[in-house]
Amino acid sequence: MKKLIIVSSLLLGILLAFTSCNNAKKNKAKRDISALSDEEIVNIATKAYVYGYPLILMDLTWKVGTNVEAPGIRTSSAPANQFGHFREFPDHTMTDVVKPNVDTYYSTVFFDLSKEAFVLSVPATERYYLLPMLDAYTNVFESPGTRTTGTDAEDFLITGPFWEGEAPEGMTQIKSPTSLVWLLGRTQVKSKEDGATVVKTIQDGYKLVPLKSFGKAYTAPKGVVNEEYKSIVPVKTIEAMPINTFFSEMAALLVKNPPFEGDEAIINDMAKIGIVPGKPFSMDGFSDDLTAKLEAIPKAVDKNFKSIVASQDPGTLINGWGKAYQAPNMGNYGTDYNFRALVAYVGLGANLPQDAVYPNTALDGDGNLLDSDSKYVVHFEEDQIPPAKAFWSLTVYNDQNFLAENPINRFALGDRDDLTFNKDGSLDIYVQRDNPGEAKYSNWLPAPAEGNFELTLRLYWPKEEVLNGTWTPVPVQKVQ
């Protein structure tokens, strides 16, 4: 686990925020840009935007996910520090999180660990589950579940970066490096009936209470609904956010979510242009030309993300699928801020490779964009069928990275489905807009009604051949 940066003069805003938050917000961050050219300022600001992108996106997702009075029935939204559970699979109407999966039920918690610690209790179960915890920068710093902690009942003490104390006997302490934490749990579901019985019981067994209330009667408080948060669609909201607002929000978030050891270089550079923890960012004193260049950064970064996702560079692809899933630092990014931001953009909440990998493609095997006007087949030879210890699935997403609306509400196919295999043990999945006919219906994965789309292959608890690269996803074949 990464160590937090020791507080220095650059991070003085952190101390100010705890002792005199209101005063800090009133004061503009001091900067000395006299030695910097406009090009250098824009370069630093662009790097700072990429560095802070996951932090802002997590905060927006936190605001959406906690903006309710009580846990919902058809959503995993819940007040802060409370479990919310999906009791049904998400569909095309879900836009809170990009690329949701439809082969597990989510159980989520948006923690605020700035004031107290919480006890997470999990039940004994033979069902595959995982409860990965993401810090404010989207690193998975812990992942309790079948693979890591087994299937016995257990109590975990979840603490934030400023908590001091000793874990009670019998509890395993999990130390978060940031105050904002997103637990994005998943429990395997075999069918709708299975979800309503077995999985519901497992989810009800996930308990969360403040440490001070552990072992006592506890009623979770009502949440507070903020009307402004109702209009947030995280990825779209962040793209439309003015750059000065972005940096001010980022500076505020850095207070409760301190940078890591290794981030010193970018923290120092940000301070040179006035991005300091706990203090608002201002472009006062910048020329009109420089201000315009800074204001153009969000769209430029968004355009770059889109170009990378749609990249046809053979060096970044395997049979048309992105190679990012092979990255050993997936879910634990270190100082690879570009990769961290890109993963947040295309699939916020990515797991560690040992827990799950997500090969993704927007291209067919010939390098052309997947288009709903065309028909495709994904053909797995018997020895190419995705090797996973838990389960696998193939999901269609539209060009906004949300589930693709279709007439039969089928968003994914995988090993939990009643698929028809060929006589030789191979498997064909038909990806197209129109029904391919009765003989192929069980293996039909509907494409969107119009436009381009993407496919994501999920392998939970992948086998070693996936992790070492000896297995690779097959190309998507365009057919007549």
Side-chain angles (χ1 to χ4, degrees):
M1 184 180 296
K2 300 177 180 178
K3 297 180 180 178
L4 302 179
I5 293 176
I6 297 175
V7 176
S8 67
S9 58
L10 278 177
L11 299 185
L12 184 59
I14 292 179
L15 298 178
L16 292 174
F18 281 101
T19 60
S20 184
C21 184
N22 290 334
N23 289 336
K25 289 182 178 180
K26 292 177 182 178
N27 297 324
K28 303 294 185 184
K30 293 182 179 180
R31 60 173 177 251
D32 181 9
I33 61 171
S34 58
L36 299 175
S37 66
D38 283 7
E39 182 180 359
E40 289 173 320
I41 293 171
V42 172
N43 183 49
I44 290 173
T46 301
K47 291 180 179 179
Y49 186 89
V50 171
Y51 173 83
Y53 185 92
L55 182 61
I56 297 292
L57 190 60
M58 282 284 282
D59 181 62
L60 291 171
T61 304
W62 194 96
K63 288 174 178 175
V64 171
T66 60
N67 198 37
V68 292
E69 287 190 351
I73 298 175
R74 295 190 69 251
T75 173
S76 61
S77 294
N81 306 315
Q82 298 180 36
F83 261 109
H85 301 291
F86 266 107
R87 305 297 194 182
E88 301 174 359
F89 288 127
D91 60 19
H92 64 278
T93 64
M94 179 185 176
T95 58
D96 292 350
V97 179
V98 294
K99 290 203 161 117
N101 84 65
V102 285
D103 38 28
T104 70
Y105 283 176
Y106 287 111
S107 295
T108 70
V109 180
F110 289 97
F111 285 95
D112 179 358
L113 298 174
S114 61
K115 296 179 180 178
E116 59 183 329
F118 291 82
V119 178
L120 167 66
S121 300
V122 299
T125 177
E126 295 301 318
R127 181 62 57 89
Y128 178 80
Y129 78 98
L130 68 162
L131 302 175
M133 300 178 192
L134 286 78
D135 63 33
Y137 300 88
T138 70
N139 298 290
V140 178
F141 62 91
E142 202 71 51
S143 186
T146 304
R147 180 185 69 84
T148 57
T149 56
T151 57
D152 293 336
E154 191 165 355
D155 296 318
F156 300 94
L157 178 64
I158 316 300
T159 62
F162 309 110
W163 187 82
E164 297 180 356
E166 296 290 333
E169 186 176 354
M171 286 188 191
T172 301
Q173 184 177 0
I174 295 177
K175 299 179 181 180
S176 170
T178 60
S179 295
L180 189 158
V181 170
W182 186 21
L183 183 156
L184 185 53
R186 302 162 178 88
T187 306
Q188 183 180 12
V189 182
K190 298 180 179 180
S191 67
K192 182 177 181 179
E193 294 74 21
D194 177 64
T197 54
V198 176
V199 179
K200 181 180 183 300
T201 301
I202 296 171
Q203 288 181 310
D204 289 343
Y206 299 144
K207 304 291 186 182
L208 188 67
V209 300
L211 175 60
K212 63 186 178 185
S213 301
F214 183 68
K216 305 174 184 177
Y218 174 72
T219 301
K222 281 188 176 182
V224 177
V225 176
N226 187 318
E227 291 298 320
E228 293 182 3
Y229 294 172
K230 291 183 178 181
S231 62
I232 293 175
V233 178
V235 172
K236 294 182 179 179
T237 299
I238 197 172
E239 182 183 354
M241 186 180 293
I243 193 71
N244 57 321
T245 302
F246 181 99
F247 285 145
S248 291
E249 293 289 329
M250 175 180 165
L253 290 167
L254 285 169
V255 173
K256 292 184 179 181
N257 306 287
F260 297 111
E261 184 178 296
D263 291 347
E264 292 90 349
I266 193 165
I267 294 299
N268 276 284
D269 282 345
M270 290 194 300
K272 293 175 184 177
I273 64 171
I275 305 173
V276 177
K279 295 188 176 183
F281 175 79
S282 171
M283 292 189 288
D284 292 347
F286 289 152
S287 68
D288 291 344
D289 182 60
L290 177 56
T291 298
K293 290 178 180 178
L294 293 176
E295 290 175 341
I297 288 174
K299 289 190 179 299
V301 172
D302 184 77
K303 182 179 179 180
N304 185 54
F305 286 158
K306 286 184 170 67
S307 68
I308 294 173
V309 172
S311 172
Q312 298 184 34
D313 179 3
T316 66
L317 303 172
I318 301 176
N319 294 329
W321 299 79
K323 295 171 64 175
Y325 78 92
Q326 292 186 338
N329 64 332
M330 177 69 78
N332 189 10
Y333 306 98
T335 57
D336 193 346
Y337 310 131
N338 291 322
F339 184 49
R340 184 175 74 181
L342 180 64
V343 173
Y345 174 80
V346 300
L348 185 67
N351 287 297
L352 299 171
Q354 295 84 354
D355 280 325
V357 296
Y358 308 138
N360 187 82
T361 185
L363 307 172
D364 64 22
D366 294 322
N368 300 310
L369 289 172
L370 299 175
D371 190 301
S372 62
D373 289 334
S374 301
K375 298 178 181 179
Y376 305 91
V377 63
V378 182
H379 175 78
F380 298 102
E381 293 291 344
E382 185 175 13
D383 61 356
Q384 294 175 324
I385 293 172
K389 295 181 180 179
F391 56 90
W392 67 269
S393 70
L394 183 67
T395 309
V396 171
Y397 297 98
N398 63 25
D399 58 3
Q400 298 297 310
N401 287 317
F402 299 127
L403 293 171
E405 183 176 7
N406 65 83
I408 62 172
N409 289 323
R410 181 185 290 173
F411 306 103
L413 285 174
D415 56 8
R416 77 181 190 280
D417 297 299
D418 187 17
L419 299 171
T420 300
F421 288 78
N422 301 317
K423 292 182 179 179
D424 61 359
S426 64
L427 175 67
D428 291 313
I429 295 180
Y430 306 97
V431 185
Q432 59 186 67
R433 183 170 55 207
D434 301 320
N435 188 337
E438 183 178 354
K440 300 178 179 179
Y441 183 83
S442 64
N443 293 21
W444 174 35
L445 186 55
E450 60 182 4
N452 299 118
F453 64 92
E454 298 183 13
L455 294 170
T456 297
L457 183 62
R458 284 184 170 82
L459 293 83
Y460 277 84
W461 201 351
K463 294 183 179 180
E464 182 59 29
E465 55 261 43
V466 178
L467 299 177
N468 64 25
T470 56
W471 175 91
T472 56
V474 299
V476 180
Q477 303 172 29
K478 184 177 179 177
V479 295
Q480 299 300 319

